[in-house]
Amino acid sequence: MTRFQNGSRLLSYTFFRSKKTPSTSPNAALLQGNFQIQQHRHFSNLARVTTKEEKEPRWKDSMDKLRNIGISAHIDSGKTTLTERILYYTGRIHEIHEVRGRDGVGAKMDSMDLEREKGITIQSAATYCTWNGYQVNIIDTPGHVDFTIEVERALRVLDGAILVLCSVGGVQSQSITVDRQMRRYEVPRLAFINKLDRMGADPWKVLNQARSKLRHHSAAVQVPIGLEDDFQGLIDLVKMKVYYFHGSNGEKIVTAEIPVEMEALAAEKRRELIETVSEVDDKLADAFLTDEPISSSDLEEAIRRATVAKKFVPVFMGSAFKNKGVQPLLDGVLSYLPCPTEVGNYALDQTKDEEKVVLSGTPDGPLVALAFKLEEGRFGQLTYLRIYEGVIRKGDFIINVNTGKKIKIPRLVRMHSDEMEDIQEAHAGQIVAVFGVDCASGDTFTDGSVKYTMTSMNVPEPVMSLAIQPVSKDSGGQFSKALNRFQKEDPTFNVGLDPESGQTIISGMGELHLDIYVERIRREYKVDASVGKPRVNFRETITQRAEFDYLHKKQTGGQGQYGRVCGYIEPLPQGSTTKFEFDNMIVGQVIPSNFIPSIEKGFKEAANSGSLIGHPVENLRIALTDGAAHAVDSSELAFKLASIYAFRQCYTAAKPVILEPVMLVELKIPTEFQGTVAGDINKRKGVIVGNDQDGDDSIITVHVPLNNMFGYSTSLRSMTQGKGEFTMEYKEHSPVSQDVQMQLVNTYMASKGAE
C-alpha cells in the first residue's frame, strides 16, 4: 500500500477525518495522538488498518457527488438563458431576469459587453451550485480557436459538457467548431435541444442533423408533448413518465402517466433509444437481443456507461425561456456525466522530458493543481485552481512548477455567486479559488514531491506583432495595467518595446488574437488605443563563412580607444539547439581575458539587428582567433565597439538571407469549394502537403508564409459561403525567395531614408 508510505500525509488525513466525526474509540484516539506526535511511527501499521476502512468511503462519496461541466453552443442558442434557469432552480439566484429583459437588469451571467465575444461570462470562471445533494461546477468555456492555450485549459478542467442546440436553427457552424474541440479533448457530453416553444421548432430534424453533421451516435431520452405554442411537457423515455412544469417559473414539476395518444410514439422512441445504446454497450445488447424486459435502472446505467466512454450522446429537450425541461436536464447531468474519478487525466513529468503520467484523481496522491483562470478582484489577484490529485489546505506551502517558487496559501475560498465561502481544505476533483498567489494562467502547483505540469511548458513563439499606443496621454497607467494582466493570463501574448521608434509592440498568435486584446483594453479598461499595421516577425541568417579583421583606434585628448579583433563568422549546422554561439579560440594573451566578455557582448548586440532589414540574426557562430590590445588605451568599450564594427564589416560577405515565419494551416472546407480554395493557396505561395476526406468535408494541410495570410479568414468565408474554417500554428522560419528579399530590403531602406 504505497499511498500511506508518507507518514505525515497519513497523519494529515486522519486529522481530516477526526475533525468531522469525533470518535471515542481507542483507535481514533491513537490516530489523534499520532497526528500530534509525528515521530512515533510505530503506530502507523495500526493506523493504516483503521483509516483504510473509514477513509475510503469518506472521499469516494464526495467525489461521486461532484460534476465539473461546461455549457457551450452556437451564438443565440440560449446558453445564457439556460444557465440563468439552472442557477435559479438550484437556489443560487432568487429571481429570473431575461437576457434582453425590459427590467433593465439583464441575465446574471451577462455581466459585460464583451460577453458576446467570450461565450458565457467573463466575471465568473466557475459557478458552483448544488442539485439533489450533488455539487455542480459550471465552468466558463471560451469559444475562440485563436486562444488555443486558453481553450485547451478550459477543456482540461471540464469532466463533461452540455452542447446546446437550437430547435429551429439546428446544427450551426459554431456548434460544429465547439463539438470538434470537445472531441479533440475527449469530453463526454449531453445535447440539449432548446427553444421548442419557437415557431418552426423541429427537434427530430435537429437530432438527425447532429447524427449526420456532428457524427454523434445519439438518441433522444425525452419526447416533447406538443411543439411551438402547444409545448406542454416532456415524456421521460427512461422512466416512462411525463413531466409537466407548473408555477410562475416552472419550479413545480408534476409527474403523470403518459397520455394514451402518445403511448405508441413513446414506445417507438424508447425502442430506438435502447437499440442505439445497445450498439455500443454489450450488457444492454445481451438483454435487448434476448428480448428481456429492460428496466429503467438498467437503461440508465447503460446510457451512463456509453456516455462516459464517449460512445453515445443522450439528447434532452426543453425550452429554457419558457422554464420547461431544465430540471430533468440537471438530473441528466448527475445521472450520465462522469465524476472526476471516472475521467482519465494525465500530467507531463518534467524530470523525464515531458513524459505523460496518468493521474489517479484521488485525494491520496501528491498534490497536483492547475491555475486555469485569473481574475482581478477587489482584494488583488484571484486564482482559480482545479485540483487533479491530492489535498490542498489553507496555510500549506505549495510549489509553482513553472517558476519553481514556493508559495504559502493565505486564503482558500469556494466561489458562491458573488460571495466567497472560506474553506479550510479541498480535495481532488474540486474547483477552488486562492488569493495572494502570484502566478500566470496555466501554471501547475504541486506539494514538491513531484515535478508534473498539466499543460506543456513549450509555449509557441508569437508570430505576429502590432504597434499599439493609447490615444490620450492620461490613460497610460490603465494601459500598462491592462497589458500586464493580459501577459499573465496568456503566455502566448507578449509585450515589448521597439528600440528604434520607442513604440509599444504587442505580439501574439494571429490577427484575431491581437484584435481581441485591443478590444478588451477598450472595453474593460476604457482605454482607446491606436494600432499600427500588423508586422511579421522576420529573422536574418548567414549562409557562408566570412572572415573579419577590424582595428578600432581612436585618439583624442587623454586616454584613447584601441581594440583589434580577428576571426570568422559561420552558420550553425542544421538542427542545432542554440541560435548564437561564441567561441574564443585565442591561444595566449594577445587580448587580456577580462576583455573577452565585452567582445561577446558586442557581437550579441550587433546580431540583434542585421543590416538587411534590421531584424535579429540567428543560427550564427562567431569564432575569435586573434587580436591585439594596447597597454593603456584598450578598454571594455573599445573592444565592444570593435566587435560591433567587425560584425557589420563581414556580414555582407557572409551572404545573409531573410527568414520568414511559415505557418502550418489546416483548412476544413466542404468538398465543392476545394478547387477555389486550393487556387487561392497557390496564389499565396502556399505548399499543399496533405488532403483528406472527412464525410462531406475536405481537410487540406498547407504550409503558407504568414506574410501572405493577412485577412485570410474573410476571404475564406467568402470563398466557402461561410462554411470553411481554418486553424493556423507556427511551423518554422524558412528563407524567402530572392524577389521577396529584394522587395523587403528596398522597403526597409526607403523607410530608413525617410527618417
PDB file of all heavy atoms in Angstrom, residues 686-699:
ATOM      1  N   GLY A 686       1.538  29.119 -51.056  1.00  0.00           N
ATOM      2  CA  GLY A 686       1.432  28.015 -50.099  1.00  0.00           C
ATOM      3  C   GLY A 686       1.789  26.698 -50.760  1.00  0.00           C
ATOM      4  O   GLY A 686       1.697  26.545 -51.977  1.00  0.00           O
ATOM      5  N   VAL A 687       2.212  25.720 -49.945  1.00  0.00           N
ATOM      6  CA  VAL A 687       2.519  24.380 -50.449  1.00  0.00           C
ATOM      7  C   VAL A 687       1.535  23.421 -49.801  1.00  0.00           C
ATOM      8  O   VAL A 687       1.476  23.320 -48.573  1.00  0.00           O
ATOM      9  CB  VAL A 687       3.962  23.970 -50.069  1.00  0.00           C
ATOM     10  CG1 VAL A 687       4.272  22.586 -50.597  1.00  0.00           C
ATOM     11  CG2 VAL A 687       4.955  24.981 -50.591  1.00  0.00           C
ATOM     12  N   ILE A 688       0.754  22.715 -50.623  1.00  0.00           N
ATOM     13  CA  ILE A 688      -0.230  21.761 -50.075  1.00  0.00           C
ATOM     14  C   ILE A 688       0.507  20.469 -49.737  1.00  0.00           C
ATOM     15  O   ILE A 688       1.156  19.875 -50.602  1.00  0.00           O
ATOM     16  CB  ILE A 688      -1.370  21.515 -51.079  1.00  0.00           C
ATOM     17  CG1 ILE A 688      -2.145  22.823 -51.298  1.00  0.00           C
ATOM     18  CG2 ILE A 688      -2.298  20.410 -50.599  1.00  0.00           C
ATOM     19  CD1 ILE A 688      -3.242  22.766 -52.322  1.00  0.00           C
ATOM     20  N   VAL A 689       0.437  20.036 -48.467  1.00  0.00           N
ATOM     21  CA  VAL A 689       1.184  18.837 -48.049  1.00  0.00           C
ATOM     22  C   VAL A 689       0.269  17.663 -47.720  1.00  0.00           C
ATOM     23  O   VAL A 689       0.732  16.551 -47.524  1.00  0.00           O
ATOM     24  CB  VAL A 689       2.103  19.134 -46.834  1.00  0.00           C
ATOM     25  CG1 VAL A 689       3.247  20.008 -47.234  1.00  0.00           C
ATOM     26  CG2 VAL A 689       1.331  19.737 -45.686  1.00  0.00           C
ATOM     27  N   GLY A 690      -1.037  17.920 -47.644  1.00  0.00           N
ATOM     28  CA  GLY A 690      -1.934  16.799 -47.323  1.00  0.00           C
ATOM     29  C   GLY A 690      -3.359  17.132 -47.688  1.00  0.00           C
ATOM     30  O   GLY A 690      -3.772  18.299 -47.659  1.00  0.00           O
ATOM     31  N   ASN A 691      -4.134  16.113 -48.055  1.00  0.00           N
ATOM     32  CA  ASN A 691      -5.533  16.327 -48.401  1.00  0.00           C
ATOM     33  C   ASN A 691      -6.324  15.083 -48.005  1.00  0.00           C
ATOM     34  O   ASN A 691      -6.086  14.000 -48.538  1.00  0.00           O
ATOM     35  CB  ASN A 691      -5.633  16.578 -49.918  1.00  0.00           C
ATOM     36  CG  ASN A 691      -7.008  17.096 -50.293  1.00  0.00           C
ATOM     37  OD1 ASN A 691      -7.964  16.934 -49.540  1.00  0.00           O
ATOM     38  ND2 ASN A 691      -7.113  17.701 -51.451  1.00  0.00           N
ATOM     39  N   ASP A 692      -7.217  15.218 -47.034  1.00  0.00           N
ATOM     40  CA  ASP A 692      -8.005  14.070 -46.558  1.00  0.00           C
ATOM     41  C   ASP A 692      -9.481  14.365 -46.688  1.00  0.00           C
ATOM     42  O   ASP A 692      -9.899  15.522 -46.678  1.00  0.00           O
ATOM     43  CB  ASP A 692      -7.711  13.791 -45.066  1.00  0.00           C
ATOM     44  CG  ASP A 692      -6.303  13.290 -44.867  1.00  0.00           C
ATOM     45  OD1 ASP A 692      -5.863  12.490 -45.688  1.00  0.00           O
ATOM     46  OD2 ASP A 692      -5.653  13.730 -43.891  1.00  0.00           O
ATOM     47  N   GLN A 693     -10.278  13.305 -46.736  1.00  0.00           N
ATOM     48  CA  GLN A 693     -11.736  13.451 -46.743  1.00  0.00           C
ATOM     49  C   GLN A 693     -12.274  13.134 -45.358  1.00  0.00           C
ATOM     50  O   GLN A 693     -11.807  12.201 -44.723  1.00  0.00           O
ATOM     51  CB  GLN A 693     -12.366  12.473 -47.751  1.00  0.00           C
ATOM     52  CG  GLN A 693     -12.220  12.869 -49.205  1.00  0.00           C
ATOM     53  CD  GLN A 693     -12.876  14.200 -49.516  1.00  0.00           C
ATOM     54  OE1 GLN A 693     -12.189  15.166 -49.801  1.00  0.00           O
ATOM     55  NE2 GLN A 693     -14.184  14.270 -49.450  1.00  0.00           N
ATOM     56  N   ASP A 694     -13.254  13.908 -44.897  1.00  0.00           N
ATOM     57  CA  ASP A 694     -13.939  13.601 -43.639  1.00  0.00           C
ATOM     58  C   ASP A 694     -15.424  13.808 -43.911  1.00  0.00           C
ATOM     59  O   ASP A 694     -15.940  14.915 -43.767  1.00  0.00           O
ATOM     60  CB  ASP A 694     -13.431  14.538 -42.531  1.00  0.00           C
ATOM     61  CG  ASP A 694     -14.135  14.292 -41.198  1.00  0.00           C
ATOM     62  OD1 ASP A 694     -14.852  13.280 -41.117  1.00  0.00           O
ATOM     63  OD2 ASP A 694     -13.969  15.096 -40.269  1.00  0.00           O
ATOM     64  N   GLY A 695     -16.096  12.759 -44.347  1.00  0.00           N
ATOM     65  CA  GLY A 695     -17.519  12.898 -44.710  1.00  0.00           C
ATOM     66  C   GLY A 695     -17.632  13.795 -45.931  1.00  0.00           C
ATOM     67  O   GLY A 695     -17.009  13.557 -46.973  1.00  0.00           O
ATOM     68  N   ASP A 696     -18.424  14.872 -45.798  1.00  0.00           N
ATOM     69  CA  ASP A 696     -18.606  15.796 -46.926  1.00  0.00           C
ATOM     70  C   ASP A 696     -17.531  16.873 -46.947  1.00  0.00           C
ATOM     71  O   ASP A 696     -17.551  17.753 -47.797  1.00  0.00           O
ATOM     72  CB  ASP A 696     -19.985  16.501 -46.812  1.00  0.00           C
ATOM     73  CG  ASP A 696     -21.092  15.487 -46.678  1.00  0.00           C
ATOM     74  OD1 ASP A 696     -20.913  14.380 -47.205  1.00  0.00           O
ATOM     75  OD2 ASP A 696     -22.125  15.798 -46.041  1.00  0.00           O
ATOM     76  N   ASP A 697     -16.627  16.837 -45.990  1.00  0.00           N
ATOM     77  CA  ASP A 697     -15.625  17.900 -45.893  1.00  0.00           C
ATOM     78  C   ASP A 697     -14.267  17.435 -46.400  1.00  0.00           C
ATOM     79  O   ASP A 697     -13.933  16.251 -46.325  1.00  0.00           O
ATOM     80  CB  ASP A 697     -15.445  18.341 -44.430  1.00  0.00           C
ATOM     81  CG  ASP A 697     -16.671  19.067 -43.912  1.00  0.00           C
ATOM     82  OD1 ASP A 697     -17.444  19.550 -44.746  1.00  0.00           O
ATOM     83  OD2 ASP A 697     -16.844  19.144 -42.681  1.00  0.00           O
ATOM     84  N   SER A 698     -13.497  18.390 -46.893  1.00  0.00           N
ATOM     85  CA  SER A 698     -12.091  18.131 -47.232  1.00  0.00           C
ATOM     86  C   SER A 698     -11.233  18.771 -46.170  1.00  0.00           C
ATOM     87  O   SER A 698     -11.500  19.904 -45.768  1.00  0.00           O
ATOM     88  CB  SER A 698     -11.740  18.768 -48.573  1.00  0.00           C
ATOM     89  OG  SER A 698     -12.257  18.000 -49.605  1.00  0.00           O
ATOM     90  N   ILE A 699     -10.208  18.047 -45.737  1.00  0.00           N
ATOM     91  CA  ILE A 699      -9.260  18.631 -44.786  1.00  0.00           C
ATOM     92  C   ILE A 699      -7.937  18.794 -45.525  1.00  0.00           C
ATOM     93  O   ILE A 699      -7.317  17.805 -45.924  1.00  0.00           O
ATOM     94  CB  ILE A 699      -9.092  17.749 -43.542  1.00  0.00           C
ATOM     95  CG1 ILE A 699     -10.423  17.688 -42.794  1.00  0.00           C
ATOM     96  CG2 ILE A 699      -8.007  18.296 -42.631  1.00  0.00           C
ATOM     97  CD1 ILE A 699     -10.464  16.706 -41.692  1.00  0.00           C
TER      98      ILE A 699
END
